[in-house]
Amino acid sequence: MSRRTLKLGAVLLGVGGPGQHRTWLDPEIPADASVDIDWYLARAEEAEAAKFDLVFIVDSQFITENSPNHYLSRLEPLTLLSALAVHTRHIGLVGTATTSYNEPFNLARRLYSLDHISGGRAGWNVVTSGDAGTAGNYSRDEHYDYATRYGRALEHVRVAQGLWDSYEADAFPRDRATEVFLDPAKQHALNHKGEHFSVVGPLNLERSPQGQPVIFQAGDSEEGRDLGASIAEVIFTHAQTLEQAKAFRTELRERAAAKGRDPEHVLILPGIRLVIADTDEEARAKEDALLGGRSFDRALKELGRPFGWHDFTQYELDAPFPDVASLGERSFRTQAEGITKLAKDNGFTLRQLVEHLSESARSPFVGSPTTVADTIQHWFEEGGFDGINVTVNAPSEFARFTDQVLPILRERGVVRSEYESTTLRGNLGLPIPENRHTAARRPQPEPALVP
Amino acid sequence: MSRRTLKLGAVLLGVGGPGQHRTWLDPEIPADASVDIDWYLARAEEAEAAKFDLVFIVDSQFITENSPNHYLSRLEPLTLLSALAVHTRHIGLVGTATTSYNEPFNLARRLYSLDHISGGRAGWNVVTSGDAGTAGNYSRDEHYDYATRYGRALEHVRVAQGLWDSYEADAFPRDRATEVFLDPAKQHALNHKGEHFSVVGPLNLERSPQGQPVIFQAGDSEEGRDLGASIAEVIFTHAQTLEQAKAFRTELRERAAAKGRDPEHVLILPGIRLVIADTDEEARAKEDALLGGRSFDRALKELGRPFGWHDFTQYELDAPFPDVASLGERSFRTQAEGITKLAKDNGFTLRQLVEHLSESARSPFVGSPTTVADTIQHWFEEGGFDGINVTVNAPSEFARFTDQVLPILRERGVVRSEYESTTLRGNLGLPIPENRHTAARRPQPEPALVP
Ligand SMILES: Cc1cc2nc3c(=O)[nH]c(=O)nc-3n(C[C@H](O)[C@H](O)[C@H](O)COP(=O)(O)O)c2cc1C
Ligand SMILES: Cc1cc2nc3c(=O)[nH]c(=O)nc-3n(C[C@H](O)[C@H](O)[C@H](O)COP(=O)(O)O)c2cc1C
């Protein structure tokens, strides 16, 4: 198989990165963009015009007044994507939804409805919720620990996939002449009884054009990588250096292969932040200005998030970084441990840590259109990723990428010129999973006769 | 206040009534209409052109191969409505969602997202799930009993309404000059701890143009009526005779008043089935043909639904109707008891009961356009209802209503000529609920001084 083109995702209203709490000050973005359906519709249409594979919607369900501004008030991802579905024709629609605070029947049904409405363009970014406080919105005293979160996630996805196979492709003859609507032999209950869920089924939705929504996954811990290797067809991650990116991709492909999966069916798409200007120098100055806009106080508050929104303002700024890594266990453990190790290894004070983190948030994708195109192509060809998720905030910045960088990459054959398919699977080059009941019905090949 | 105009709802792909399992045979309806987003979009646009108040989507989450055909495979209501939202501008979007198998935070969030996407046109039809088998899709051994179902429903709605008040109207100054995004004093946690749910909040969505989605409710038991009187702003019901309809409306208004509510803010909208032809005679013949299309075997199977899909084919057809009313307790109790009483009072055999039920399904709204307009106006003026929910299947039948009946009613001032508002509340003439925290902040009137 010839290598695929570079895959492109657009993270609509991407938050994260330095100065995220200042995004709303950009006069180009409506200050209430996070609840403005017209803003999302326009960006999705632009991404589709640029032949992106997908739009990507992140999510969280727990806020404090210190949460990033655009988190405070925003649309639920699948509800949002359904509106985008009827204004686009080719682009994939990937929504983040947590397995920790959803029931598989309900979520499988909503995702499959989106898959039908969009003609086979739905994707599900499977997460387990990092914000410990989410528990309080779902009648629980505390968030699940890692083993439970990821155990539940795996079972949840398997149940959803089982429900999506409730009907074989030809279950509905809908033949008016013979008055046969359903072929009951092709309707299947699931009868799942597991550690976390019992689900009888069947799901009340027939097979969609791409068979099953594409499974995306984001989660960085040992448990998270194991889940990704088990179920993910696309992995959303981050990439700070080419070496890190290559190591992550190699590891995940190997883990998937060890589970008997084809590594070509596991695509790695890090989220990347682009800073593009006419020259490299101007682009660097642009990033400096962005980093300069940070507020130390704000960064100190946001540092609390991976530790379950721990309040770091209670500590002496010039004393050694406090060891509260254990608070990550019911929150973002990987991040909490990483930050703590960084501080320890370097002997950082709290102040030095905050300053270091902001500084090290510099993006590797800063420069003129040619520089950025070169860097992306280099990382891609070196096996750093299969595609990229580009943060979309200000339209003029996005246009720099679509109008100045993409034409270079298109010219070089790195990205597509036309959609290959109307389904997300088709465009990502992922196979359509065969319905399990149809597969079971298929005659097995005769065992080869010993001559 | 001058009396409101008659309110109009369009139940898209309305099932129920005689011959429901034969609807798909109509060559005018795509055989897969229930998953065809274009079918729904076209009907919603027609309903909006006819100045309907709302489209209404019913729901169920448990199927057997005997379920009505269009139930076997269909889109999840809120996902569907979000797609309709961006192709319409005035019509309300009312989705059925069960309080028995949803968490309030998740559902409140989805409904409020729809409310934002539609600019204030969302409505929630609160149900508790009649199909006992739904439990099996949600890791439960059996469905909740009535007390639990309705207790949970009341608390669920109250929690949702509390979450919708998380932000006061002016919580987001988003003032770029002063760099103030949020006024934290106007963000409110809920801190609800109740019998069924604990929800901390706040919900991550600001106030919508209509403040809160409109609460619809459907449920007929004593418990169901009590819930309706407590929380419903619109009640979805059925109406077989004018006397029944008046009695139901009077009772619900009185019950609401007894709870301290204004009965003018409780609208009764029965679902009605229209059979319209050029003359009364032709319309009656049309209904006869419809009733003649029934299959006794099918009706016998469908009779099982209110009794938790009990299998009535196991009984002798000419023996007295078996007393299995108790099976309704975890299913549709009101219907199960009503059917059992009917059989007992009349000494029906099983066969006679099935035949009687099909026969008594005749609609009171059968005739020429003038006859149907007269009947609707008469029931409306006599206080039988505040509006009607019209079943929409074949477009040409719907067009008979919009193009032949509605002009008569419009001419007589019974229905509107133009939308009064862009929100569902505005069109229904329902008040916008004040945010509870804003209300608490408002200075109380000085106590009158005794002279
Ligand atoms: C790149 C990336 C993106 C993520 N996006 C989300 C998100 O949008 N919503 C969410 O609840 N969690 C998100 N997560 C968090 C994971 O679901 C997970 O709960 C959290 O990272 C802690 O688990 P971990 O230590 O395995 O990473 C993301 C994680 C990564 C690495
Ligand atoms: C007119 C009407 C429409 C209803 N529509 C739905 C529906 O779409 N989905 C659903 O789950 N239940 C629906 N219900 C059922 C109620 O939610 C309730 O569970 C069921 O009727 C049993 O309760 P009851 O005895 O109080 O009516 C409807 C009930 C009525 C009376």
Side-chain angles (χ1 to χ4, degrees):
Chain A
M1 182 178 98
S2 70
R3 188 151 184 218
R4 297 182 185 92
T5 51
L6 177 84
K7 299 304 160 201
L8 297 172
V11 184
L12 298 190
L13 216 61
V15 287
Q20 62 177 12
H21 63 284
R22 296 178 62 79
T23 307
W24 72 278
L25 292 172
D26 189 330
E28 240 194 83
I29 309 174
D32 64 349
S34 58
V35 291
D36 180 353
I37 187 66
D38 294 329
W39 187 87
Y40 290 98
L41 284 169
R43 300 295 84 71
E45 284 163 12
E46 285 159 12
E48 183 164 88
K51 318 290 180 207
F52 268 59
D53 290 85
L54 55 103
V55 295
F56 194 99
I57 310 291
V58 300
D59 194 37
S60 83
Q61 298 194 73
F62 173 73
I63 49 168
T64 75
E65 50 173 281
N66 293 320
S67 296
N69 289 325
H70 280 144
Y71 279 39
L72 294 175
S73 175
R74 62 167 165 182
L75 302 171
E76 190 278 326
L78 300 184
T79 315
L80 164 56
L81 289 171
S82 183
L84 303 189
V86 289
H87 274 279
T88 52
R89 297 196 48 194
H90 289 92
I91 199 163
L93 306 161
V94 184
T96 299
T98 179
T99 52
S100 295
Y101 301 103
N102 274 297
E103 286 284 328
F105 193 90
N106 196 319
L107 192 52
R109 186 175 180 220
R110 292 169 56 205
L111 286 159
Y112 219 35
S113 294
L114 177 64
D115 212 26
H116 275 282
I117 289 171
S118 62
R121 294 185 282 133
W124 172 20
N125 181 35
V126 177
V127 300
T128 66
S129 290
D131 280 316
T134 315
N137 290 331
Y138 287 91
S139 301
R140 285 184 54 87
D141 289 332
E142 62 176 0
H143 191 28
Y144 302 104
D145 62 20
Y146 264 63
T148 310
R149 269 154 76 171
Y150 280 108
R152 200 178 142 107
L154 179 63
E155 190 179 330
H156 199 301
V157 174
R158 295 286 186 226
V159 169
Q161 292 174 323
L163 289 170
W164 293 332
D165 275 356
S166 292
Y167 289 112
E168 295 180 57
D170 51 355
F172 290 99
R174 293 186 173 113
D175 184 338
R176 287 187 174 126
T178 57
E179 300 198 0
V180 176
F181 189 81
L182 168 73
D183 176 353
K186 295 186 175 163
Q187 180 196 65
H188 301 278
L190 181 64
N191 293 318
H192 171 86
K193 266 193 210 314
E195 194 183 332
H196 303 278
F197 307 107
S198 308
V199 181
V200 176
L203 183 68
N204 53 346
L205 264 171
E206 65 205 83
R207 193 164 164 85
S208 86
Q210 66 172 352
Q212 302 209 348
V214 180
I215 302 293
F216 288 61
Q217 186 266 355
D220 227 7
S221 57
E222 172 56 33
E223 294 89 337
R225 290 174 189 218
D226 189 66
L227 178 70
S230 299
I231 54 119
E233 303 178 88
V234 186
I235 295 182
F236 185 35
T237 180
H238 35 76
Q240 203 54 39
T241 67
L242 175 55
E243 281 57 49
Q244 275 173 15
K246 279 166 72 172
F248 181 83
R249 181 165 177 271
T250 303
E251 178 190 330
L252 266 290
R253 288 169 65 92
E254 283 172 7
R255 282 185 182 232
K259 289 177 189 285
R261 299 182 59 204
D262 181 346
E264 292 302 312
H265 300 159
V266 184
L267 307 179
I268 312 295
L269 265 69
I272 71 172
R273 214 163 35 76
L274 300 168
V275 187
I276 306 163
D278 292 344
T279 65
D280 290 354
E281 204 171 17
E282 283 173 54
R284 278 193 299 269
K286 203 158 141 183
E287 187 172 43
D288 284 343
L290 201 69
L291 294 171
R294 291 157 312 167
S295 135
F296 182 91
D297 286 353
R298 185 81 196 203
L300 186 65
K301 284 181 186 153
E302 288 176 1
L303 175 63
R305 190 173 182 216
F307 302 85
W309 284 107
H310 184 62
D311 178 13
F312 280 99
T313 66
Q314 68 189 285
Y315 301 109
E316 179 57 58
L317 283 176
D318 296 309
F321 184 74
D323 186 354
V324 289
S326 66
L327 293 174
E329 177 59 26
R330 288 180 199 261
S331 190
F332 296 84
R333 189 185 71 200
T334 316
Q335 263 184 277
E337 285 178 356
I339 290 167
T340 308
K341 182 168 184 309
L342 180 76
K344 213 172 272 175
D345 289 354
N346 293 280
F348 282 151
T349 62
L350 175 54
R351 186 196 307 278
Q352 286 168 329
L353 179 92
V354 172
E355 282 168 355
H356 177 91
L357 285 181
S358 301
E359 195 53 30
S360 66
R362 279 180 187 280
S363 169
F365 303 93
V366 178
S368 69
T370 313
T371 300
V372 169
D374 288 346
T375 312
I376 291 172
Q377 183 174 2
H378 179 61
W379 285 45
F380 179 53
E381 286 173 353
E382 290 289 312
F385 45 60
D386 300 286
I388 51 178
N389 265 313
V390 175
T391 297
V392 180
N393 290 319
S396 68
E397 293 296 323
F398 187 46
R400 280 189 184 266
F401 181 67
T402 56
D403 300 353
Q404 297 174 22
V405 177
L406 281 185
I408 300 173
L409 293 172
R410 194 164 289 134
E411 177 77 28
R412 300 178 188 170
V414 177
V415 298
R416 71 160 63 84
S417 303
E418 276 310 326
Y419 284 106
E420 298 85 25
S421 170
T422 56
T423 69
L424 178 54
R425 285 187 181 278
N427 286 318
L428 291 176
L430 293 170
I432 292 187
E434 188 175 14
N435 179 292
R436 65 192 64 188
H437 307 287
T438 310
R441 195 191 294 280
R442 201 162 18 87
Q444 297 305 307
E446 305 262 328
L449 287 177
V450 180
Chain B
M1 182 179 97
S2 70
R3 187 148 186 221
R4 297 182 186 92
T5 51
L6 178 85
K7 300 303 160 202
L8 297 172
V11 184
L12 299 192
L13 215 60
V15 286
Q20 62 177 11
H21 63 284
R22 296 178 62 81
T23 307
W24 72 278
L25 292 172
D26 188 329
E28 239 193 83
I29 308 173
D32 63 350
S34 59
V35 291
D36 180 353
I37 189 65
D38 293 330
W39 187 87
Y40 289 99
L41 285 169
R43 300 296 83 71
E45 284 163 11
E46 287 159 10
E48 183 164 88
K51 318 290 180 206
F52 268 59
D53 290 85
L54 55 103
V55 295
F56 194 100
I57 311 291
V58 299
D59 194 37
S60 83
Q61 299 194 73
F62 173 74
I63 50 168
T64 75
E65 51 173 279
N66 293 321
S67 296
N69 289 324
H70 280 144
Y71 278 40
L72 294 175
S73 175
R74 63 169 165 179
L75 302 171
E76 190 277 327
L78 299 184
T79 315
L80 164 57
L81 289 172
S82 183
L84 302 189
V86 288
H87 274 280
T88 52
R89 296 196 48 194
H90 289 93
I91 199 162
L93 305 162
V94 184
T96 299
T98 179
T99 53
S100 295
Y101 301 104
N102 274 298
E103 286 285 327
F105 192 90
N106 197 320
L107 191 52
R109 188 175 180 220
R110 293 169 57 205
L111 286 159
Y112 219 34
S113 294
L114 177 64
D115 212 26
H116 275 282
I117 289 171
S118 62
R121 294 185 281 133
W124 172 20
N125 181 35
V126 177
V127 301
T128 66
S129 290
D131 280 316
T134 315
N137 289 332
Y138 287 91
S139 301
R140 284 185 55 88
D141 289 333
E142 63 175 358
H143 191 28
Y144 301 103
D145 62 21
Y146 264 63
T148 311
R149 271 154 74 172
Y150 280 108
R152 201 179 142 107
L154 179 62
E155 190 179 331
H156 199 302
V157 173
R158 295 288 186 223
V159 169
Q161 291 174 323
L163 288 170
W164 294 331
D165 275 356
S166 292
Y167 288 112
E168 296 181 55
D170 51 355
F172 290 99
R174 293 187 173 112
D175 183 338
R176 287 187 174 128
T178 57
E179 300 199 359
V180 176
F181 190 81
L182 168 73
D183 175 353
K186 294 185 175 164
Q187 180 196 66
H188 301 277
L190 181 64
N191 293 317
H192 171 86
K193 267 193 210 312
E195 195 183 333
H196 303 278
F197 307 107
S198 308
V199 181
V200 176
L203 183 68
N204 53 347
L205 263 172
E206 66 205 83
R207 193 164 164 84
S208 86
Q210 65 172 352
Q212 302 210 348
V214 180
I215 303 292
F216 287 61
Q217 187 265 356
D220 227 7
S221 56
E222 172 56 32
E223 294 90 336
R225 290 174 189 218
D226 189 66
L227 177 71
S230 299
I231 54 121
E233 303 178 87
V234 186
I235 295 181
F236 184 34
T237 180
H238 35 76
Q240 203 54 39
T241 68
L242 175 56
E243 282 57 48
Q244 277 173 14
K246 279 166 73 172
F248 181 83
R249 180 165 177 273
T250 303
E251 179 191 329
L252 267 289
R253 288 169 65 93
E254 283 172 6
R255 282 185 183 232
K259 289 178 189 283
R261 299 181 60 205
D262 182 345
E264 292 301 312
H265 300 158
V266 183
L267 308 179
I268 311 295
L269 265 68
I272 70 171
R273 215 162 35 77
L274 301 166
V275 187
I276 306 163
D278 291 345
T279 65
D280 289 353
E281 204 171 17
E282 284 173 53
R284 277 191 300 269
K286 202 158 141 183
E287 187 173 42
D288 284 344
L290 202 69
L291 295 170
R294 291 157 312 167
S295 135
F296 182 90
D297 286 352
R298 184 81 196 201
L300 186 64
K301 284 181 186 154
E302 288 176 1
L303 175 64
R305 190 173 181 216
F307 301 85
W309 284 106
H310 185 63
D311 178 12
F312 279 99
T313 65
Q314 69 189 284
Y315 300 109
E316 179 56 59
L317 282 176
D318 296 311
F321 183 75
D323 186 354
V324 289
S326 65
L327 293 174
E329 178 58 26
R330 289 179 199 263
S331 189
F332 296 84
R333 189 186 71 200
T334 316
Q335 262 184 278
E337 284 178 355
I339 289 167
T340 308
K341 182 169 184 307
L342 180 77
K344 213 172 273 174
D345 288 355
N346 293 280
F348 282 151
T349 62
L350 175 54
R351 185 194 307 276
Q352 286 168 330
L353 178 93
V354 172
E355 282 169 353
H356 178 90
L357 284 182
S358 302
E359 195 54 31
S360 66
R362 281 182 185 280
S363 168
F365 303 92
V366 178
S368 69
T370 312
T371 301
V372 169
D374 288 347
T375 312
I376 290 173
Q377 183 174 3
H378 179 63
W379 284 45
F380 178 54
E381 287 172 353
E382 290 290 311
F385 45 60
D386 300 286
I388 51 178
N389 265 313
V390 175
T391 297
V392 180
N393 289 319
S396 68
E397 293 297 323
F398 187 45
R400 280 189 183 265
F401 181 67
T402 56
D403 300 353
Q404 297 174 21
V405 178
L406 281 185
I408 301 173
L409 292 172
R410 194 165 289 132
E411 176 77 28
R412 298 178 189 171
V414 177
V415 298
R416 72 161 62 83
S417 303
E418 277 309 326
Y419 285 106
E420 298 85 24
S421 171
T422 57
T423 69
L424 178 54
R425 286 189 180 278
N427 286 318
L428 291 176
L430 292 170
I432 292 187
E434 188 175 13
N435 180 292
R436 66 192 65 190
H437 307 287
T438 310
R441 196 191 293 281
R442 204 163 13 87
Q444 296 304 309
E446 306 262 329
L449 286 177
V450 180

